[in-house]
Amino acid sequence: MTFQNKKILVAGLGGTGISMIAYLRKNGAEVAAYDAELKAERVSQIGKMFDGLVFYTGRLKDALDNGFDILALSPGISERQPDIEAFKRNGGRVLGDIELLADIVNRRGDKVIAITGSNGKTTVTSLVGYLCIKCGLGYRYRGQYRYAGFGGGIAARRQKG
C-alpha cells in the first residue's frame, strides 16, 4: 500500500494516533489530525512534534468534508458511525493501526506470531520467545502493554547469529 501524496486524516490523538501520524508522514502522506474534543494544550504538544500539522475538532463529518482519501482510526474509535459509513460510501478508505502494521510486516517480508486474548498473553509470549531462542531463530518481541497495535509498548530483539 502506498501513502505517497495521499490526503489522510488520523482520528484519535492518543499514543496510537501519534504513531500513525509519524508513520504516514514518513511515507509521504499529507496528514491531518482529528479529535472530537481537542484541547489547546494537546494541539500545542502535538504541534511541537509535527511541524505544520493541521488539526480538526468537533464533528467528524466536517473534518472529512476537506477532501481526504483515507481515514486512519485509532483503536478507540468505532468504524460504525454514520459519518464514517458515509465517507466509505463516497469512496473514502478507512483503515486502522493493525492494517498499517500488517502493511509494514508484508513489505518487509517478516513472519509474525500474534498472541491475543484476555488472559495468559505474557506467559504464552514468553514461551514462544523461549522456543524461538532454543530453535536458533531470530526474533523480535513487541509487547503491547500500554496501547494496541501500532503504538508503543516494550520491544526486545535478538538477532540470529
Side-chain angles (χ1 to χ4, degrees), residues 16-60:
T16 301
I18 299 304
S19 296
M20 289 193 293
I21 292 169
Y23 175 76
L24 292 165
R25 277 187 146 203
K26 181 179 174 184
N27 284 277
E30 180 186 332
V31 181
Y34 169 83
D35 202 291
E37 296 178 16
L38 194 56
K39 301 204 182 323
E41 312 87 65
R42 188 68 175 145
V43 170
S44 175
Q45 181 185 38
I46 298 169
K48 289 175 185 171
M49 292 187 267
F50 304 106
D51 189 43
L53 184 66
V54 175
F55 292 89
Y56 295 92
T57 192
R59 292 180 357 155
L60 180 57

Side-chain angles (χ1 to χ4, degrees), residues 9-21 24 34-35 42 71-81 84 94-101 144-153:
L9 180 64
V10 173
L13 299 178
T16 301
I18 299 304
S19 296
M20 289 193 293
I21 292 169
L24 292 165
Y34 169 83
D35 202 291
R42 188 68 175 145
L71 173 62
L73 295 177
S74 291
I77 300 175
S78 172
E79 201 172 319
R80 294 180 179 135
Q81 297 179 39
I84 296 173
V94 178
L95 53 85
D97 59 329
I98 301 301
E99 189 171 350
L100 288 175
L101 180 61
Q144 300 304 325
Y145 301 119
R146 267 190 87 202
Y147 27 84
F150 201 67

Side-chain angles (χ1 to χ4, degrees), residues 9 13 18 21 80 89 108 112 123-124 134 137 140 143:
L9 180 64
L13 299 178
I18 299 304
I21 292 169
R80 294 180 179 135
R89 276 194 307 277
R108 291 178 19 173
V112 174
T123 301
V124 172
K134 288 300 184 183
L137 300 173
R140 187 172 294 204

